[in-house]
Amino acid sequence: MNTYLKFYNYTRMENSLKIWTMIISFVNVVPLLLIAQNSPNDYLKAHNDARKEVGVKPLEWDPQLASHAGEFVEKHIADCITGLIDVAFPGTYGQNAAYNSVSETGTEAVAAWVQQKYNYDYKSNSCVDGTTSCHCYTQIVRDTVTLLGCARVECRNYGGTLTTCLYYPEDAVLNQQRPYKLH
């Protein structure tokens, strides 16, 4: 084999190795990026940023609530859409749940709930369109809530993700009183 072909084969092999190294690096980094937006601190930050905007004390992470949230999403992993209508913790915890047909991080789910603030009217203490489409937001900023636990799964049925957050204590007069006081 002449010197040119040896050099050509070596260069080609070296380039292939570089490409595979990049692919493996990418595959290893992407899950870390997703985990980075699903950690307790990420959920807390997303919630507490919204609470800070209205002058409400920050939430604290509760491992027991996170465990219950994990059990809830695992229960619905085979049919995540039913997780939206399952009232698993009545009278015990407040709960927000989100199903997204594409992969969504926990912080993206919380961000969607926080966006409901534009549908909340503080003066009337109701959703502006007469529906319940602001209740996830009011759950997040409710000043009586002190503890938070969240979990998320990749769904097996339709794809996508199911995220739920539990809040303690549940407010027994939810939606009868304003979630926070203006200062």
Side-chain angles (χ1 to χ4, degrees):
M1 189 180 276
N2 69 32
T3 307
Y4 174 76
L5 286 177
K6 286 181 184 177
F7 177 75
Y8 175 75
N9 285 337
Y10 176 77
T11 304
R12 211 169 130 196
M13 190 167 60
E14 188 178 67
N15 286 340
S16 293
L17 184 61
K18 287 179 183 177
I19 291 171
W20 277 108
T21 302
M22 287 175 38
I23 291 170
I24 290 168
S25 296
F26 180 76
V27 168
N28 286 327
V29 168
V30 168
L32 294 176
L33 293 174
L34 293 176
I35 291 170
Q37 295 181 349
N38 296 309
S39 74
N41 285 339
D42 294 316
Y43 282 109
L44 279 170
K45 181 174 178 1
H47 279 80
N48 288 335
D49 286 351
R51 292 170 68 85
K52 186 177 182 179
E53 285 183 16
V54 296
V56 178
K57 291 181 182 177
L59 295 171
E60 293 181 22
W61 188 258
D62 185 84
Q64 183 178 357
L65 285 178
S67 177
H68 290 313
E71 291 168 10
F72 176 85
V73 294
E74 287 294 328
K75 172 183 169 187
H76 295 290
I77 196 169
D79 188 7
C80 287
I81 292 176
T82 62
L84 296 177
I85 56 174
D86 181 9
V87 183
F89 308 101
T92 308
Y93 308 120
Q95 181 178 13
N96 283 343
Y99 166 74
N100 195 315
S101 61
V102 296
S103 186
E104 175 180 65
T105 66
T107 55
E108 289 171 332
V110 175
W113 298 329
V114 171
Q115 286 301 306
Q116 291 181 3
K117 70 182 173 185
Y118 299 109
N119 199 37
Y120 175 66
D121 177 53
Y122 184 85
K123 187 176 181 181
S124 67
N125 191 37
S126 63
C127 303
V128 294
D129 61 1
T131 68
T132 60
S133 62
C134 66
H135 289 181
C136 291
Y137 170 71
T138 59
Q139 179 68 68
I140 289 171
V141 297
R142 191 157 298 282
D143 61 7
T144 55
V145 173
T146 58
L147 300 175
L148 171 70
C150 303
R152 170 191 169 279
V153 293
E154 295 284 335
C155 304
R156 292 187 186 150
N157 55 346
Y158 314 109
T161 53
L162 176 65
T163 304
T164 195
C165 289
L166 300 179
Y167 305 87
Y168 182 83
E170 179 184 45
D171 195 334
V173 289
L174 184 65
N175 305 320
Q176 294 175 14
Q177 296 179 349
R178 288 178 177 75
Y180 56 90
K181 294 169 185 61
L182 289 178
H183 299 283

Coordinates of all heavy atoms in Angstrom, one line a residue, residues 118-154:
Y118 N -51.9 35.4 33.6 CA -52.5 36.3 32.7 C -54.0 36.1 32.6 O -54.7 36.9 32.0 CB -51.8 36.3 31.4 CG -50.4 36.7 31.5 CD1 -49.4 35.8 31.3 CD2 -50.0 38.0 31.8 CE1 -48.0 36.1 31.4 CE2 -48.7 38.4 31.9 CZ -47.7 37.4 31.8 OH -46.4 37.8 31.9
N119 N -54.5 35.0 33.1 CA -55.9 34.6 33.1 C -56.5 34.8 34.4 O -57.7 34.5 34.6 CB -56.1 33.2 32.5 CG -57.5 33.0 32.1 OD1 -58.1 33.9 31.5 ND2 -58.0 31.8 32.3
Y120 N -55.7 35.3 35.4 CA -56.3 35.5 36.8 C -56.5 37.0 37.0 O -55.7 37.8 36.8 CB -55.3 35.0 37.8 CG -55.7 35.2 39.2 CD1 -56.8 34.6 39.8 CD2 -55.0 36.1 40.0 CE1 -57.2 34.8 41.1 CE2 -55.4 36.4 41.3 CZ -56.5 35.7 41.8 OH -56.9 36.0 43.1
D121 N -57.7 37.2 37.5 CA -58.1 38.6 37.9 C -58.1 38.7 39.4 O -59.0 38.1 40.1 CB -59.4 39.0 37.3 CG -59.9 40.4 37.7 OD1 -59.1 41.3 37.6 OD2 -61.0 40.5 38.3
Y122 N -57.2 39.4 40.0 CA -57.1 39.5 41.5 C -58.3 40.2 42.1 O -58.8 39.7 43.1 CB -55.8 40.3 41.9 CG -55.6 40.3 43.4 CD1 -55.0 39.3 44.0 CD2 -56.1 41.4 44.1 CE1 -54.8 39.3 45.4 CE2 -55.9 41.4 45.5 CZ -55.3 40.3 46.1 OH -55.1 40.3 47.5
K123 N -58.8 41.2 41.4 CA -60.0 42.0 42.0 C -61.2 41.1 42.2 O -61.8 41.1 43.2 CB -60.3 43.1 41.1 CG -61.3 44.1 41.6 CD -61.5 45.3 40.7 CE -62.6 46.2 41.3 NZ -62.8 47.4 40.4
S124 N -61.5 40.2 41.2 CA -62.7 39.4 41.3 C -62.3 38.0 41.8 O -63.2 37.2 42.1 CB -63.3 39.2 39.9 OG -62.5 38.5 39.0
N125 N -61.0 37.7 42.0 CA -60.5 36.4 42.5 C -61.0 35.3 41.6 O -61.5 34.3 42.2 CB -60.8 36.2 44.0 CG -60.1 35.0 44.5 OD1 -59.0 34.8 44.2 ND2 -60.8 34.3 45.4
S126 N -60.9 35.5 40.3 CA -61.4 34.4 39.4 C -60.6 34.5 38.1 O -59.9 35.4 37.8 CB -62.9 34.7 39.1 OG -63.1 35.9 38.5
C127 N -60.8 33.4 37.4 CA -60.2 33.4 36.0 C -61.0 34.3 35.1 O -62.3 34.3 35.2 CB -60.2 31.9 35.5 SG -59.4 30.7 36.6
V128 N -60.4 35.0 34.3 CA -61.0 36.0 33.5 C -62.0 35.4 32.5 O -63.0 36.1 32.1 CB -60.0 37.0 32.7 CG1 -59.3 37.8 33.7 CG2 -59.1 36.2 31.8
D129 N -61.8 34.2 32.1 CA -62.8 33.6 31.1 C -63.9 32.7 31.7 O -64.6 32.1 31.1 CB -62.0 32.8 30.1 CG -61.2 31.6 30.7 OD1 -61.3 31.4 31.9 OD2 -60.5 30.9 29.9
G130 N -63.9 32.8 33.1 CA -65.0 32.0 33.8 C -64.7 30.5 33.9 O -65.6 29.8 34.4
T131 N -63.5 30.1 33.5 CA -63.2 28.7 33.6 C -62.3 28.5 34.8 O -62.2 29.4 35.6 CB -62.5 28.2 32.3 OG1 -61.2 28.8 32.3 CG2 -63.3 28.5 31.1
T132 N -61.6 27.3 34.9 CA -60.7 27.1 35.9 C -59.2 27.2 35.4 O -58.3 26.7 36.0 CB -60.9 25.7 36.5 OG1 -60.7 24.7 35.5 CG2 -62.2 25.5 37.2
S133 N -59.1 27.9 34.3 CA -57.7 28.0 33.6 C -56.7 28.9 34.3 O -55.7 29.2 33.7 CB -57.9 28.4 32.2 OG -58.5 29.7 32.1
C134 N -57.0 29.2 35.5 CA -55.9 30.0 36.3 C -55.6 29.3 37.6 O -54.8 29.8 38.4 CB -56.4 31.4 36.5 SG -57.8 31.6 37.6
H135 N -56.3 28.2 37.9 CA -56.1 27.6 39.2 C -54.7 27.0 39.5 O -54.3 26.9 40.6 CB -57.2 26.5 39.4 CG -58.6 27.1 39.6 ND1 -59.7 26.4 39.8 CD2 -59.0 28.4 39.6 CE1 -60.8 27.2 39.9 NE2 -60.3 28.4 39.8
C136 N -54.0 26.6 38.4 CA -52.7 26.1 38.6 C -51.8 27.2 39.1 O -51.0 27.1 40.1 CB -52.1 25.5 37.4 SG -52.9 23.9 36.9
Y137 N -52.0 28.4 38.5 CA -51.2 29.6 39.0 C -51.6 30.0 40.4 O -50.7 30.2 41.2 CB -51.5 30.8 38.0 CG -51.0 32.1 38.6 CD1 -49.6 32.3 38.6 CD2 -51.8 33.1 39.1 CE1 -49.0 33.4 39.2 CE2 -51.3 34.2 39.6 CZ -49.9 34.4 39.7 OH -49.4 35.6 40.2
T138 N -52.9 30.0 40.7 CA -53.2 30.4 42.1 C -52.7 29.4 43.1 O -52.4 29.7 44.3 CB -54.8 30.6 42.3 OG1 -55.5 29.4 41.9 CG2 -55.2 31.8 41.4
Q139 N -52.6 28.1 42.7 CA -52.1 27.1 43.6 C -50.6 27.4 43.9 O -50.1 27.3 45.0 CB -52.2 25.7 43.0 CG -51.6 24.6 43.8 CD -52.4 24.3 45.1 OE1 -53.5 23.9 45.0 NE2 -51.8 24.6 46.2
I140 N -49.9 27.8 42.9 CA -48.4 28.1 43.0 C -48.2 29.3 44.0 O -47.3 29.3 44.8 CB -47.8 28.4 41.7 CG1 -47.7 27.1 40.9 CG2 -46.4 29.0 41.8 CD1 -47.3 27.2 39.4
V141 N -49.0 30.3 43.9 CA -48.8 31.6 44.6 C -49.6 31.7 45.9 O -49.5 32.7 46.6 CB -49.0 32.8 43.8 CG1 -48.0 32.9 42.6 CG2 -50.5 32.9 43.3
R142 N -50.3 30.6 46.3 CA -51.1 30.6 47.5 C -50.3 30.8 48.7 O -49.3 30.0 49.0 CB -52.0 29.3 47.6 CG -53.0 29.4 48.6 CD -54.1 28.4 48.4 NE -54.9 28.7 47.1 CZ -55.8 29.6 47.0 NH1 -56.1 30.4 48.0 NH2 -56.4 29.8 45.9
D143 N -50.5 31.8 49.5 CA -49.6 32.1 50.6 C -49.7 31.2 51.8 O -48.8 31.2 52.6 CB -49.9 33.6 51.1 CG -51.3 33.9 51.6 OD1 -52.1 33.0 51.7 OD2 -51.6 35.1 51.8
T144 N -50.8 30.3 51.8 CA -50.9 29.4 52.9 C -50.0 28.1 52.7 O -49.8 27.4 53.6 CB -52.3 29.0 53.2 OG1 -52.8 28.4 51.9 CG2 -53.2 30.1 53.6
V145 N -49.6 27.9 51.5 CA -48.8 26.7 51.1 C -47.4 27.0 51.5 O -46.8 28.1 51.2 CB -48.9 26.4 49.6 CG1 -48.0 25.3 49.2 CG2 -50.4 26.1 49.2
T146 N -46.7 26.0 52.1 CA -45.3 26.1 52.6 C -44.4 25.0 52.0 O -43.2 25.3 52.0 CB -45.3 26.1 54.1 OG1 -45.8 24.8 54.5 CG2 -46.0 27.2 54.7
L147 N -45.0 23.9 51.6 CA -44.1 22.8 51.2 C -44.5 22.3 49.7 O -45.6 22.4 49.3 CB -44.3 21.6 52.1 CG -43.9 21.8 53.6 CD1 -44.2 20.6 54.4 CD2 -42.4 22.2 53.7
L148 N -43.5 21.8 49.0 CA -43.6 21.5 47.6 C -42.9 20.1 47.4 O -41.8 19.9 47.9 CB -43.0 22.5 46.7 CG -42.8 22.2 45.2 CD1 -44.2 22.2 44.6 CD2 -41.9 23.3 44.6
G149 N -43.5 19.3 46.5 CA -42.8 18.1 46.0 C -43.3 17.8 44.6 O -44.5 17.8 44.4
C150 N -42.4 17.5 43.7 CA -42.8 17.3 42.3 C -42.1 16.1 41.7 O -41.1 15.6 42.2 CB -42.4 18.5 41.5 SG -43.0 20.1 42.0
A151 N -42.7 15.6 40.6 CA -42.1 14.4 39.9 C -42.6 14.5 38.5 O -43.6 15.1 38.2 CB -42.5 13.1 40.6
R152 N -41.8 13.8 37.6 CA -42.1 13.8 36.2 C -41.7 12.4 35.6 O -40.8 11.8 36.1 CB -41.2 14.9 35.6 CG -41.2 14.9 34.1 CD -40.1 15.9 33.7 NE -39.8 15.8 32.3 CZ -39.0 14.9 31.7 NH1 -38.4 14.0 32.4 NH2 -38.8 14.8 30.4
V153 N -42.5 11.9 34.6 CA -42.2 10.7 33.9 C -42.3 10.9 32.4 O -43.1 11.7 32.0 CB -43.0 9.5 34.3 CG1 -42.8 9.1 35.8 CG2 -44.5 9.7 34.1
E154 N -41.6 10.1 31.7 CA -41.8 9.9 30.3 C -42.9 8.9 30.1 O -42.8 7.8 30.6 CB -40.5 9.4 29.6 CG -39.3 10.4 29.7 CD -39.4 11.6 28.7 OE1 -40.1 11.5 27.7 OE2 -38.9 12.6 29.0

